[in-house]
Amino acid sequence: MAKYPSNKVTLALKVRGMDNSHCVHIVGSALDRLEGIIDKKLSANEKAAITFNPKIVTAERIRQIINDAGYDTYEESTGIADREKEDRKKEIQSLKKKTFISAVLGLPLLYLAMARHIGLPTIEDISLLAIIQFLFTTPIMLLGYQLFTKGFRSLIKAKTANMDTLIAIGTGAAYAYSLIASAFILSGSTLFGKEDIYFEVAGLLIVFILLGRYFEAVVKGRTSEAIKKLMGLAAKTAIVIRDGKEQEVQIDAVIVGDDVVVKPGQKIPVDGVVLSGHSSVDESMVSGESIPVEKTKGSKVIGVTINRTGAFTFRATKIGKDTMLAQIIKLVEDAQASKAPIQKLADTISAYFVPVVVGIGIIAAITWYLLGMGFLFSFTILIAVLIIACPCALGLATPTAVMMGTGKGAEHGILIKSAEALQKTGKLSVVIFDKTGTITKGKPEVTDIVRAGTGRLDEKELLRLAAIAEKKSEHPLAEAILAKAKLLKLDVPNPSSFNAVAGQGIEAASGRATILLGNRKLMQTKGVPIDGIKGQLAGLEREGKTAMLIAVNGKAAGVIAVADTIKEQSAKAIANLQAMGIATYMLTGDNETTARAIARQAGIQNVLAEVMPQDKEEEVKKLQEKGEVVAMVGDGINDAPALTQADVGIAIGSGTDVAIESGDIVLVKNELSDVVSAINLSRYTLKKIKQNLFWAFIYNILGIPVAAGILYPFTGFLLNPVIAGAAMAFSSVSVVANSLMMKRYSLGRGR
């Protein structure tokens, strides 16, 4: 037996058939009886993560206890191969075949069941009728054998009843009773008659149940299409440079540190950093952004994205399960496996549903029998109640909507980590934004070039001279000035002399020009009067910009202002949030003047400035204590505590790994308009969940009393078990279909 590395091991399983909250409860109850289980995460998308002590219980024993409860298991692959897709395909093909054969066999049974009621000729010979129904029903029962094996195995071994148990009891009782009645009829006994032959009820119920399961498998297979599309995008091979030569290898053979060559039109195989070359890359399959992204030396590239035009070489930094694609898939799968708070109601009801329903069925049957309606009538009541009460629709209501909601978000670069986050996002009353890198671009840019009143130099020449002075500087603002000069394609030679004056600025020379670039103190030290430009300087500083004076040959020539500018979508996104009734705040460690200036541009009225990183969490708490449901949007390490404290932490995808790890939602595209989209998606998903729960509850609340015969004394209406089976099967399909309608939903960026 294999040795385990520690006293805590996590077993990731696929649990076939655990596709609703009732089944989750059954598997959970079975595991609760095992010693050594430390933690378990079970989800209605057939996934289980079970942490256990290998010194007390083995993985084999855990799988066996789940199998005994009526469910098949296999260990999840650690890779990203689409095992789920292949399994779903096999399941659909098998159910399709079984459904077709059972439907063909069921048509004669349907005719025999309905003919007498609509005036069509039927078989009068009781013995012949019993034989024909037996011959058509028995193969159908065999096609549905798994309903019986799983149903009774759960009852006998796990001491619990699942949905298959209800079906097995109902159809099995009908078949067994009919078999006994047929044996007496064929022996010549008059104890049983035509009304005692119930084969068609059992057979047609299995037909409808198989049909319902087939439709469920088809529509449920579509709920995770976002993940399947991403999985299918993974490259199969890569061109790597080894021993100085290019060679094509399987994707699994790529290792961290490999130099990988990507040619025009090829998929980028793994994540990495560009070493040489230039191209534009289509990242729409990951971010949802249709515009290709330019890549040059130092740019990060993402596996599965598509290289458009040029060729480049990059160094592999992340492979396999560490790639962005694998992480996105894991995030979405974890979200789909989690439970929304609203699902607790459905879980609680489903947990007690089966024993209560069996009790109602038995009580109803006994009551009608005591009222003199006879065994056959009472037996029909019992079967109808058992069949119509299967809580499949109730169990599917929340998971299917959550799967569609998280999948829809993933398609558009909005990664929602849990169902709880998905639900809470729709209830937000306050959104707090970090400033730098969230509202703003996080990168200083030249915003203003102001000429002195008497200056003869134009704006381009002022910028060119400033760039010459900054060319050898290591100051952060130098990059902004040089970037602006490059954008305007200005000729920027090296300065002939350069001197950095600590705390004041730069003194440089180029040709005949002596250049001073810095603050007031530099100009004062060098004896340069600035009276003519003081007003413009103060005005730029009031706007929160860093303003630098430039003097040429001892005379003030102008002012160059640099600032961290807001992102294009920031103001619109914040206006949309306020229109939705959500209050917006800006939280920053910057000074009050700069913070207020940025807030004015973004349209934010509530500003919390000069807040130390360790105090950001406290500001979130203060709002929560006032009863607000708070989201924090940030990108830095210093935002992580606030992201964690917030009801919903929203991390900007370009931010640090710590921030992304701390967030409940990750915005891959770095656009604040996606905050609006996430809230809209949450509200829409919650609406769908409520619709699903309503129809599932209504179906069971109304269906069970009717099946128990409550209408019979007043209207003479009795719910036929065949109709009950059809209704039960299609109720689940209707709930899933309602969730699938979410595919048509448009996130409406910036709405």
Side-chain angles (χ1 to χ4, degrees):
M1 184 174 165
K3 291 183 179 180
Y4 291 97
S6 71
N7 290 339
K8 191 165 81 169
V9 177
T10 298
L11 177 66
L13 292 176
K14 176 79 174 178
V15 184
R16 175 63 67 196
M18 190 178 70
D19 54 8
N20 55 74
S21 55
H22 179 69
C23 293
V24 168
H25 172 75
I26 289 171
V27 174
S29 297
L31 291 171
D32 286 341
R33 290 195 289 272
L34 275 179
E35 287 187 24
I37 301 294
I38 298 169
D39 186 33
K40 60 183 186 299
K41 293 179 181 177
L42 310 175
S43 69
N45 65 348
E46 301 183 330
K47 292 183 183 294
I50 303 159
T51 304
F52 64 98
N53 185 338
K55 292 184 177 180
I56 300 175
V57 65
T58 64
E60 290 78 10
R61 178 58 182 150
I62 291 171
R63 293 183 66 175
Q64 184 60 51
I65 201 75
I66 296 175
N67 292 339
D68 288 346
Y71 302 88
D72 298 323
T73 64
Y74 64 77
E75 289 194 42
E76 287 279 23
S77 170
T78 56
I80 61 172
D82 195 1
R83 177 82 176 268
E84 169 68 17
K85 183 178 180 180
E86 188 61 32
D87 283 352
R88 186 68 67 188
K89 184 178 178 181
K90 288 179 181 178
E91 181 190 22
I92 290 171
Q93 288 174 342
S94 175
L95 282 169
K96 184 178 182 180
K97 185 177 179 180
K98 289 179 179 180
T99 302
F100 177 76
I101 296 171
S102 66
V104 170
L105 293 169
L107 286 174
L109 293 176
L110 184 62
Y111 178 86
L112 293 174
M114 303 301 295
R116 73 185 73 171
H117 300 295
I118 57 177
L120 293 175
T122 187
I123 298 172
E124 298 298 334
D125 188 309
I126 300 176
S127 298
L128 181 60
L129 180 66
I131 291 170
I132 290 173
Q133 288 198 10
F134 170 77
L135 292 174
F136 279 104
T137 301
T138 302
I140 295 174
M141 301 295 283
L142 293 173
L143 286 169
Y145 78 96
Q146 287 182 322
L147 298 170
F148 297 91
T149 56
K150 290 181 179 180
F152 287 119
R153 185 170 63 186
S154 174
L155 196 62
I156 295 167
K157 292 191 175 183
K159 303 296 187 292
T160 185
N162 59 23
M163 294 180 199
D164 288 338
T165 308
L166 283 180
I167 296 166
I169 291 172
T171 57
Y175 182 82
Y177 179 78
S178 301
L179 201 60
I180 294 168
S182 297
F184 275 96
I185 289 169
L186 292 172
S187 69
S189 171
T190 57
L191 189 62
F192 294 89
K194 187 183 293 185
E195 293 78 12
D196 295 301
I197 301 173
Y198 242 146
F199 283 123
E200 81 278 7
V201 170
L204 289 172
L205 280 173
I206 298 295
V207 172
F208 283 124
I209 289 159
L210 288 174
L211 181 63
R213 299 243 167 132
Y214 167 66
F215 283 143
E216 274 183 39
V218 170
V219 293
K220 280 162 59 182
R222 294 175 185 166
T223 56
S224 55
E225 280 184 358
I227 293 176
K228 291 176 182 176
K229 286 177 183 175
L230 286 173
M231 285 178 168
L233 288 170
K236 303 294 186 292
T237 61
I239 299 173
V240 299
I241 300 174
R242 290 179 182 168
D243 299 324
K245 296 180 181 179
E246 291 184 9
Q247 54 180 287
E248 188 170 353
V249 299
Q250 293 296 310
I251 192 70
D252 293 340
V254 179
I255 61 175
V256 172
D258 268 341
D259 290 350
V260 184
V261 178
V262 184
K263 298 176 181 179
Q266 288 185 336
K267 286 181 182 177
I268 296 171
V270 295
D271 296 2
V273 177
V274 176
L275 297 175
S276 62
H278 174 271
S279 185
S280 59
V281 175
D282 179 359
E283 296 185 344
S284 60
M285 64 287 296
V286 173
S287 68
E289 177 56 63
S290 58
I291 300 172
V293 180
E294 292 297 312
K295 300 293 181 182
T296 57
K297 184 179 179 180
S299 298
K300 291 182 180 180
V301 290
I302 304 168
V304 312
T305 55
I306 299 172
N307 182 31
R308 281 290 189 87
T309 51
F312 61 88
T313 301
F314 74 93
R315 181 150 294 158
T317 56
K318 292 179 181 179
I319 61 172
K321 61 183 178 60
D322 297 322
T323 62
M324 185 174 183
L325 172 69
Q327 292 302 309
I328 288 174
I329 290 169
K330 187 176 186 304
L331 279 177
V332 178
E333 284 186 335
D334 288 348
Q336 293 178 348
S338 63
K339 292 183 181 181
I342 197 172
Q343 192 174 338
K344 292 178 182 177
L345 175 64
D347 288 350
T348 302
I349 292 173
S350 292
Y352 299 100
F353 205 75
V354 172
V356 169
V357 166
V358 171
I360 290 172
I362 292 172
I363 291 169
I366 292 172
T367 301
W368 284 112
Y369 185 77
L370 294 176
L371 290 173
M373 297 305 294
F375 176 78
L376 187 61
F377 184 95
S378 304
F379 185 63
T380 303
I381 291 288
L382 175 62
I383 294 175
V385 171
L386 291 177
I387 296 302
I388 201 167
C390 283
C392 302
L394 191 62
L396 290 168
T398 301
T400 52
V402 168
M403 289 176 77
M404 287 303 300
T406 52
K408 176 65 72 173
E411 285 178 7
H412 293 83
I414 301 171
L415 306 181
I416 303 167
K417 292 186 180 180
S418 70
E420 184 174 4
L422 182 65
Q423 180 173 333
K424 281 185 177 179
T425 303
K427 299 177 179 178
L428 293 174
S429 59
V430 169
V431 176
I432 302 174
F433 294 95
D434 170 51
K435 180 181 76 70
T436 306
T438 302
I439 292 176
T440 67
K441 295 174 182 176
K443 190 176 181 181
E445 293 181 355
V446 173
T447 57
D448 303 87
I449 303 173
V450 181
R451 296 165 58 198
T454 57
R456 292 180 295 174
L457 301 175
D458 63 17
E459 293 176 1
K460 281 190 176 181
E461 183 61 16
L462 279 177
L463 178 64
R464 191 182 78 87
L465 291 171
I468 291 171
E470 292 282 21
K471 195 162 185 184
K472 290 189 175 182
S473 171
E474 295 179 356
H475 194 279
L477 298 178
E479 186 180 343
I481 291 173
L482 290 167
K484 184 72 171 180
K486 184 178 179 181
L487 182 67
L488 297 177
K489 298 180 179 178
L490 302 179
D491 178 33
V492 182
N494 288 321
S496 54
S497 67
F498 173 86
N499 179 41
V501 183
Q504 297 182 25
I506 293 168
E507 183 178 14
S510 177
R512 295 180 180 180
T514 301
I515 309 162
L516 294 173
L517 183 66
N519 55 25
R520 290 178 177 84
K521 192 171 183 181
L522 178 66
M523 299 302 158
Q524 184 180 355
T525 302
K526 298 297 180 180
V528 178
I530 59 169
D531 294 339
I533 204 167
K534 275 186 177 179
Q536 294 98 316
L537 182 65
L540 291 169
E541 288 174 337
R542 280 195 298 272
E543 293 175 10
K545 298 172 182 177
T546 300
M548 293 172 282
L549 290 158
I550 181 168
V552 180
N553 296 330
K555 292 183 180 180
V559 181
I560 296 177
V562 174
D564 183 8
T565 58
I566 70 168
K567 295 176 181 176
E568 288 78 4
Q569 292 285 334
S570 293
K572 185 178 179 182
I574 288 161
N576 284 331
L577 288 172
Q578 291 169 351
M580 295 163 69
I582 297 172
T584 55
Y585 285 71
M586 187 171 77
L587 187 62
T588 179
D590 250 355
N591 64 74
E592 188 82 22
T593 302
T594 302
R596 292 283 176 190
I598 293 295
R600 279 195 300 273
Q601 293 176 51
I604 294 180
Q605 295 177 338
N606 305 297
V607 180
L608 303 171
E610 300 177 26
V611 179
M612 299 300 289
Q614 61 269 27
D615 296 329
K616 288 186 175 183
E617 182 183 6
E618 287 302 317
E619 296 295 341
V620 174
K621 279 184 184 177
K622 287 177 186 177
L623 288 167
Q624 289 174 324
E625 287 167 1
K626 294 178 182 178
E628 304 287 1
V629 182
V630 181
M632 173 70 195
V633 187
D635 72 325
I637 292 174
N638 61 340
D639 297 321
L643 286 167
T644 304
Q645 175 61 38
D647 296 285
V648 180
I650 302 177
I652 301 296
S654 62
T656 63
D657 290 342
V658 174
I660 292 170
E661 185 65 29
S662 302
D664 300 299
I665 297 175
V666 180
L667 307 181
V668 175
K669 288 179 59 182
N670 311 319
E671 291 184 5
L672 293 193
S673 57
D674 283 341
V675 175
V676 180
S677 296
I679 294 170
N680 284 333
L681 178 62
S682 170
R683 291 179 177 180
Y684 180 71
T685 303
L686 196 57
K687 182 174 78 172
K688 281 293 180 183
I689 291 172
K690 289 177 179 177
Q691 287 175 359
N692 287 348
L693 287 173
F694 171 79
W695 288 113
F697 276 123
I698 286 294
Y699 164 79
N700 284 293
I701 289 168
L702 297 180
I704 293 171
V706 172
I710 196 170
L711 297 178
Y712 186 76
F714 310 104
T715 64
F717 178 77
L718 192 65
L719 190 62
N720 188 296
V722 173
I723 297 172
M728 181 275 293
F730 285 106
S731 68
S732 298
V733 177
S734 66
V735 166
V736 180
N738 187 46
S739 295
L740 280 175
M741 288 176 68
M742 295 173 69
K743 289 181 73 174
R744 301 177 185 176
Y745 176 68
S746 172
L747 262 66
R749 278 176 162 42
R751 267 195 321 196

